[in-house]
Amino acid sequence: MKEARVEGERSLLLGIGISAVGIGMYVPFSLVFFHHVTGLSFTLVGLVLTVTGVAGLVFMPLAGTAVDRFGAKKVNLVLYAIRAAGFALYPFAGSLPAFAAVALVTALADRSFGVVQQSLIGEVAQGSARDRLQASTRALQNAGMGAGALLVSGVLGLWGTGGFTHTAWGNALAFALAGLLVSRVRPLRAAAAPLAEGPAPQSPAGYRTVLRDRPFLGLTAANFLTALGYAALSVLFPLYLSTWLAAPDSLTGAAFTVNTALCAGVGVLIAARVRRSGARRTRSAALGALLFAAAFAGQIVLGTLRPGQTATLVALLAIVVVYTLGELVHSPFGGALSVSAAPEAVRGRYLATYQLSYSLATALAPALFTALLSVDGRLPWAVLTAAALGAALALLRLERHLPAHAVHAEPPAAAPAPRGPLAPTAA
């Protein structure tokens, strides 16, 4: 049966794709990008980006409160406007105070955007439509970022480093256009959601509500364990290749290409296949974590055997494929699980708490991985394997404690009425 579409879904997804192109135009070159756009030294640019990034993390809970108070769509549009204005102003921020001010405001919007976008998906879709939007969003983000990186490479080829200024303005245009498209999305009426979302909390809505919800905090902790694995490809993988395996750096590019191509090309298809199997979201997310564990265990084996260069290339690409499959299975269902487990009245606060698990894992990963790698190249993979297995086990144990409408994308079919002599008789 063909799934019903969300009103304004094409505009939402197109806006996400265009936004991802903008992100891809500067994230891979962030230090170089801001150095050439502002004229400031790499040291100052790096210091400002670090400080403003931490400030953005602190701002995330406030973004969650704003979502609950004003609605995800309105906050989403405000963040798009801030990002568009920030990138339009970067070429004029040639002094340290000006750059710091623009970078701070833009970082607050960037860091909070994931919380707001997840909340928007919960605001416009229910049931399996949330899972589908999660998968589509992931695929478009990967495809858009890849396209953005290629686009800026072409711009730099034509105009040299002066092309970074054009890129900043192109980025501002991308965010502005994405905002215009998302403005066409229509949230579900609040009156239509209570049965699907569960009862609204009776106590005053606030972060104390989140902190009292032990199953959701358990879900957030499980996500932290998995989020460490998400950071492995960009942080640990290149170091592991160059130090422990003594492999050429070109393999890192090949791994990223395989990962991006699979996410963009087959992510939606794989998520749809899992979704149509009727699997519970907890079990689908746990399967993704198990695939992560298999990929990390494969790195331990590879790091122990250390075969020749050809065998290493084949093994690494196979491991990246398994890792990417884990990402494609875990991401949409883990995301939909968190959105659906959050009560509607405080969804923003819940998702801000959940997204902090990603941010914390991303912040800790570089120090953790390099420390473990200095002891033994296989040790960080062993820790990640244990973390992924722990996340899978936690998801399965949490299944009976989370709301039924969060665990099941669609309400489970009612059991057939008993027949024969055991059937109840009318009074």
Side-chain angles (χ1 to χ4, degrees), residues 23 58 65 128 159 186 189 196 258 274 315 337 343 353 365 371 402 414:
I23 294 170
V58 176
T65 302
S128 61
W159 288 293
R186 295 291 177 266
R189 293 182 179 180
V258 170
V274 176
L337 181 62
T353 304
L402 292 167

Side-chain angles (χ1 to χ4, degrees), residues 76-383:
N76 184 280
L77 295 177
V78 170
L79 296 188
Y80 269 132
I82 292 173
R83 297 163 96 190
F87 278 90
L89 290 173
Y90 271 129
F92 304 103
S95 67
L96 178 59
F99 174 58
V102 175
L104 175 61
V105 176
T106 308
L108 298 183
D110 280 340
R111 291 288 184 174
S112 301
F113 192 78
V115 176
V116 179
Q117 182 166 279
Q118 289 289 89
S119 300
L120 181 60
I121 290 176
E123 198 172 89
V124 302
Q126 291 180 344
S128 61
R130 285 181 180 168
D131 306 68
R132 188 186 69 248
L133 283 179
Q134 292 280 355
S136 299
T137 296
R138 186 80 181 178
L140 283 169
Q141 286 174 335
N142 279 274
M145 289 183 67
L150 289 175
L151 181 60
V152 74
S153 297
V155 170
L156 296 178
L158 287 174
W159 288 293
T161 54
F164 279 118
T165 299
H166 298 86
T167 301
W169 287 330
N171 215 340
L173 181 61
F175 287 131
L177 181 56
L180 287 174
L181 287 166
V182 173
S183 68
R184 301 173 62 183
V185 178
R186 295 291 177 266
L188 295 169
R189 293 182 179 180
L195 291 178
E197 299 301 316
Q202 298 300 314
S203 58
Y207 278 101
R208 285 180 297 178
T209 305
V210 185
L211 296 177
R212 286 197 296 264
D213 192 335
R214 295 179 64 183
F216 190 85
L217 293 180
L219 182 64
T220 302
N223 188 66
F224 170 78
L225 296 177
T226 313
L228 287 172
Y230 278 94
L233 187 63
S234 59
V235 179
L236 175 59
F237 194 81
L239 292 174
Y240 175 71
L241 283 181
S242 61
T243 58
W244 188 258
L245 293 182
D249 292 334
S250 59
L251 285 184
T252 299
F256 274 92
T257 301
V258 170
N259 176 262
T260 301
L262 287 176
C263 287
V266 301
V268 174
L269 297 176
I270 289 177
R273 184 68 179 267
V274 176
R275 188 170 68 250
R276 288 167 186 160
S277 72
R280 301 174 185 181
R281 286 169 173 153
T282 43
R283 299 182 186 186
S284 298
L287 174 60
L290 289 176
L291 289 169
F292 271 164
F296 300 148
Q299 293 283 28
I300 297 173
V301 174
L302 181 61
T304 301
L305 298 179
R306 298 189 189 186
Q309 185 169 334
T310 301
T312 298
L313 171 61
V314 173
L316 280 173
L317 292 181
I319 288 170
V320 170
V321 169
V322 175
Y323 170 90
T324 305
L325 289 175
E327 180 181 345
L328 296 179
V329 174
H330 176 271
S331 178
F333 300 101
L337 181 62
S338 66
V339 172
S340 301
E344 183 179 1
V346 284
R347 184 184 290 141
R349 292 174 173 88
Y350 266 68
L351 294 182
T353 304
Y354 185 81
Q355 289 293 320
L356 278 173
S357 63
Y358 277 114
S359 299
L360 183 60
T362 301
L364 292 178
L368 175 64
F369 292 159
T370 51
L372 294 173
L373 194 63
S374 67
V375 177
D376 189 294
R378 296 160 294 185
L379 186 57
W381 299 113
V383 171

